[in-house]
Amino acid sequence: MIYCVEDERNIRELIVYTLETSGFEARGFSDGAQFFKGMEEKKPDLILLDIMLPGEDGMEILKKLKRNSDTDHIPVIMVTAKGAEYDKVLGLDTGADDYIAKPFGMMEFVARVKAVLRRSNKDIQQSGREYTAGKLKVQVDQHRVMVDDNPVALTLKEFEVLRYLLENRGIVLTRNQLLEHIWGYDFDGETRTVDVHIRTLRQKLGEAGEMIETVRGVGYRIGGNQ
Ligand code: CA
């Protein structure tokens, strides 16, 4: 089940229709109040969240979802207007799993939805792996990241970036490799998305973040000397 919060009726209906014809169950809501009512009845597998909404806006709704342990694991795709708003949310550490700028093509839209769902399913299925590197400890199945035994809250994408770097420890990964592996489709040259996620990842990991090396002109690497 996919929930879509969008106040513009035409867009909402088009999204729900597109998802349904792609084989998903989908439900549309025109504002936050209706959406949270729907959340009490049933939790979806994915939420599509418009930013400009009457009442609570999309960013406030997202914050609420991420603060609640019943909903913080549900992936969220933010739907934004193109331009300044898109650039702004891309640079924010909102906890969203992806961003789509309006207007978007329906093929691209469905590809993004599938990529986010694929990643979150993969997270649930994988089990038993643990990585340690210096002060950093990552328990893949619990989705847990610790630095010096203190838990660090990462978004799904930041977690994926960290895990992919650890899986390939000592190897330089290019921005394109990271994009293709983590975003699951050709991002059309938006490699700054990778840089934004690396930056927030480093910040959140504090001292342990220094293990993520920038290899100039190539990409990123973790723990090259171990
Ligand atoms: Ca809107």
Side-chain angles (χ1 to χ4, degrees):
M1 175 63 82
I2 299 174
Y3 283 179
C4 165
V5 192
E6 167 67 68
D7 59 322
E8 279 163 75
R9 191 171 153 206
N10 292 344
I11 299 178
R12 185 174 69 240
E13 285 178 355
L14 180 62
I15 287 176
V16 169
Y17 173 80
T18 303
L19 290 170
E20 284 175 347
T21 54
S22 305
F24 297 105
E25 276 185 277
R27 228 178 125 182
F29 302 92
S30 59
D31 61 30
Q34 271 197 38
F35 163 72
F36 281 111
K37 236 181 259 170
M39 290 293 284
E40 281 169 26
E41 289 161 29
K42 190 185 162 99
K43 302 273 189 297
D45 305 303
L46 172 70
I47 297 162
L48 302 164
L49 205 49
D50 181 24
I51 292 188
M52 297 290 285
L53 290 166
E56 273 175 306
D57 70 18
M59 304 302 271
E60 290 169 45
I61 293 173
L62 179 63
K63 268 187 217 152
K64 260 194 196 171
L65 291 169
K66 294 298 167 189
R67 270 200 305 258
N68 183 337
S69 60
D70 288 338
T71 56
D72 63 352
H73 62 284
I74 302 173
V76 176
I77 300 179
M78 298 303 287
V79 182
T80 81
K82 231 190 181 83
E85 188 180 70
Y86 181 71
D87 287 341
K88 194 177 148 213
V89 296
L90 206 62
L92 287 175
D93 180 25
T94 58
D97 297 284
D98 203 357
Y99 304 93
I100 298 178
K102 285 189 273 196
F104 43 78
M106 283 300 150
M107 295 278 279
E108 189 207 348
F109 170 72
V110 171
R112 297 260 195 126
V113 165
K114 285 183 177 166
V116 169
L117 284 171
R118 205 163 44 230
R119 277 198 309 274
S120 76
N121 287 337
K122 208 166 63 191
D123 283 337
I124 293 161
Q125 284 157 15
Q126 274 178 355
S127 63
R129 270 197 293 158
E130 185 173 306
Y131 295 104
T132 47
K135 294 176 171 181
L136 177 71
K137 188 193 233 176
V138 178
Q139 291 168 317
V140 173
D141 55 344
Q142 287 106 328
H143 224 274
R144 188 180 293 155
V145 177
M146 313 274 276
V147 174
D148 260 345
D149 292 327
N150 296 313
V152 180
L154 298 182
T155 66
L156 185 58
K157 278 224 180 100
E158 289 161 356
F159 185 85
E160 289 282 322
V161 169
L162 179 61
R163 180 170 68 183
Y164 194 46
L165 287 168
L166 285 165
E167 273 172 9
N168 294 282
R169 203 156 154 181
I171 299 167
V172 183
L173 298 173
T174 66
R175 289 176 177 81
N176 279 327
Q177 277 176 319
L178 285 158
L179 275 177
E180 273 169 35
H181 183 81
I182 290 147
W183 279 259
Y185 59 97
D186 186 7
F187 214 61
D188 211 2
E190 293 264 10
T191 49
R192 72 197 163 116
T193 305
V194 174
D195 301 330
V196 168
H197 282 77
I198 292 277
R199 197 172 64 217
T200 57
L201 191 52
R202 276 181 176 144
Q203 280 166 1
K204 288 184 178 179
L205 295 177
E207 215 180 301
E210 289 166 21
M211 284 193 302
I212 303 172
E213 303 162 39
T214 303
V215 182
R216 270 189 73 183
V218 188
Y220 297 101
R221 169 175 62 194
I222 208 164
N225 48 8
Q226 299 204 31

